[in-house]
């Protein structure tokens, strides 16, 4: 009675049809006819105005009732869902605004990372030339500073590549480029590229196992995963330590392990290593900085390839980052 501004005596035994404007009655009659003709139960959303009030939205359940004499009646139960419908519309608008904002944010990150990559590549090339020149620096300190510039630039380029790769991974339209690769050869390339940073800490890099581990997968994504895991292992291994990478062929999948004899990871930290929400970067054994983003990226990429990643570690002993990939995607 409150909805229609009418006393109960004028509602009981009546139909909604009696209390809506003439221009809204056709839709009500059409639904009523369907219920009477086919005996089906119908739940529909109805928009209408009642007397001087604003437009209301009702959810009405209509069903057929037949008495002992065969007379047919329609029983209807209506609920006012105006406020909930308006709230749902506002939520949809907010979601659309959020999606647009998020897309703009991802695009901005990609642009910044791409634009920063060029000057850092130049710095890296110049520092490489200075280190490779036949003329020795004026002092050991100068040579050490050049090495620091070179390694810092390489690390920064790695971070920028992570940002670019992550930005691409967020776009649902990005397709995996599957092709046959020699995983052992790819591991060797990553180790060679990481060797200059490892040398600064006198850390040995080794590959164990077969040299012929083949699979069909995305070459760039797998290389990014390996580069991040090796870089992470070097970061948390003390001077004079070692990092080893192995790949084992298994039925329908390949297991890769990046091991180090570094400082290890506590159980509490292991639980949040691959989480974007709780990931916090830690300083390396030589106070190396990082974004804490590399392992999150590894998790996203391994998932994208249909694999799984996890870590086994003991404080003071070292860590084993393992992941498996299907032999084909």
């Amino acid at each position: 009675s409150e909805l229609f501004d009418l006393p109960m005596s004028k509602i009981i035994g009546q139909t909604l049809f009696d209390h809506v404007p003439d221009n809204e009655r056709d839709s009500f009659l059409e639904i009523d006819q369907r219920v009477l003709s086919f005996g089906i139960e119908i739940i529909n959303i109805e928009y209408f105005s009642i007397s001087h009030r604003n437009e209301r939205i009702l959810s009405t359940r209509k069903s057929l009732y037949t008495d002992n004499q065969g007379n047919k009646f329609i029983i209807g139960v209506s609920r006012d869902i105006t406020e909930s419908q308006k709230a749902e519309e506002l939520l949809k608008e907010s979601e659309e605004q959020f999606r647009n904002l998020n897309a703009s944010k991802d695009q901005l990150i990609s642009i910044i990372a791409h634009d920063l990559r060029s000057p850092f590549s130049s710095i890296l090339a110049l520092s490489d030339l200075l280190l490779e020149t036949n003329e020795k620096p004026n002092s050991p300190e100068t040579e050490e500073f050049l090495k620091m510039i070179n390694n810092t630039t390489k690390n920064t380029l790695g971070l920028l590549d992570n940002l670019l790769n992550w930005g691409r991974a967020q776009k649902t339209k990005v397709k995996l480029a599957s092709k046959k690769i020699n995983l052992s050869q790819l591991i060797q390339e990553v180790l060679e590229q990481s060797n200059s940073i490892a040398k600064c800490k006198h850390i040995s890099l080794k590959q164990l196992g077969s040299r012929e581990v083949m699979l069909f997968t995305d070459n760039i994504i797998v290389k990014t995963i390996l580069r991040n895991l090796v870089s992470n292992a070097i970061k948390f291994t003390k001077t004079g330590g070692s990092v080893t990478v192995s790949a084992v062929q298994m039925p329908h999948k390949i297991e890769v392990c990046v091991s180090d004899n570094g400082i290890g990871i506590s159980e509490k930290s292991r639980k949040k290593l691959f989480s974007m929400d709780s990931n916090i970067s830690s300083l390396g054994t030589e106070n190396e900085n990082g974004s804490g983003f590399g392992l999150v990226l590894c998790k996203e990429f391994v998932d994208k390839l249909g694999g799984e990643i996890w870590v086994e570690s003991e404080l003071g002993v070292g860590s084993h980052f393992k992941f498996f990939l299907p032999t084909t995607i």
Side-chain angles (χ1 to χ4, degrees), residues 69-86:
Q69 287 74 40
N71 298 312
K72 294 182 178 181
F73 302 89
I74 292 178
I75 298 177
V77 179
S78 297
R79 292 186 302 113
D80 187 352
I81 59 170
T82 306
E83 299 306 320
S84 62
Q85 285 291 103
K86 288 180 178 178

Side-chain angles (χ1 to χ4, degrees), residues 55 70 131 166 182 210 289 295:
E55 184 181 67
L131 287 171
W166 179 77
N182 185 330
S210 171
N289 288 313
L295 294 179

Side-chain angles (χ1 to χ4, degrees), residues 183-191 207 226 245-247 256:
L183 183 59
S184 301
Q185 184 178 332
L186 195 64
I187 291 172
Q188 190 59 38
E189 290 176 13
V190 171
L191 293 180
Q207 179 179 5
L226 289 168
V245 184
S246 62
V256 181

